[in-house]
Amino acid sequence: MTLELGGKSPQLVFADADLDAALPFLVSAGIQNAGQTCSAASRILVQRAVFDAVVQRMAERYVRCASARRSPTPTWGR
């Protein structure tokens, strides 16, 4: 779900979230179009129970993005 909240689009991650499904979206939501869209994730609110896992997995994915080819593909960042 995408909510338009005045350019401050939070992503919510609850403890029962499917992290395998959520992580690709969380990563691309913040960097799509260099973050210059009104729905770009400017905040990610994570329930405490999964916070460490989300931070670790997002960091791993961002490293892969930074070291990926310069031309994005459909699986870029995933």
Side-chain angles (χ1 to χ4, degrees):
M1 173 187 334
T2 300
L3 302 174
E4 176 53 56
L5 301 171
K8 300 296 179 201
S9 305
Q11 309 301 312
L12 306 175
V13 182
F14 295 102
D16 62 349
D18 178 350
L19 296 183
D20 290 330
L23 266 289
F25 176 77
L26 292 172
V27 170
S28 64
I31 60 175
Q32 65 186 354
N33 197 27
Q36 301 299 308
T37 59
C38 62
S39 62
S42 57
R43 299 178 179 137
I44 300 173
L45 306 175
V46 182
Q47 198 164 7
R48 192 176 311 269
V50 292
F51 180 82
D52 291 336
V54 170
V55 169
Q56 178 182 349
R57 291 174 70 176
M58 285 188 69
E60 291 167 358
R61 287 177 183 268
Y62 279 122
V63 166
R64 286 194 305 211
C65 288
S67 61
R69 296 180 326 166
R70 294 295 179 211
S71 59
T73 65
T75 59
W76 188 66
R78 295 189 174 127

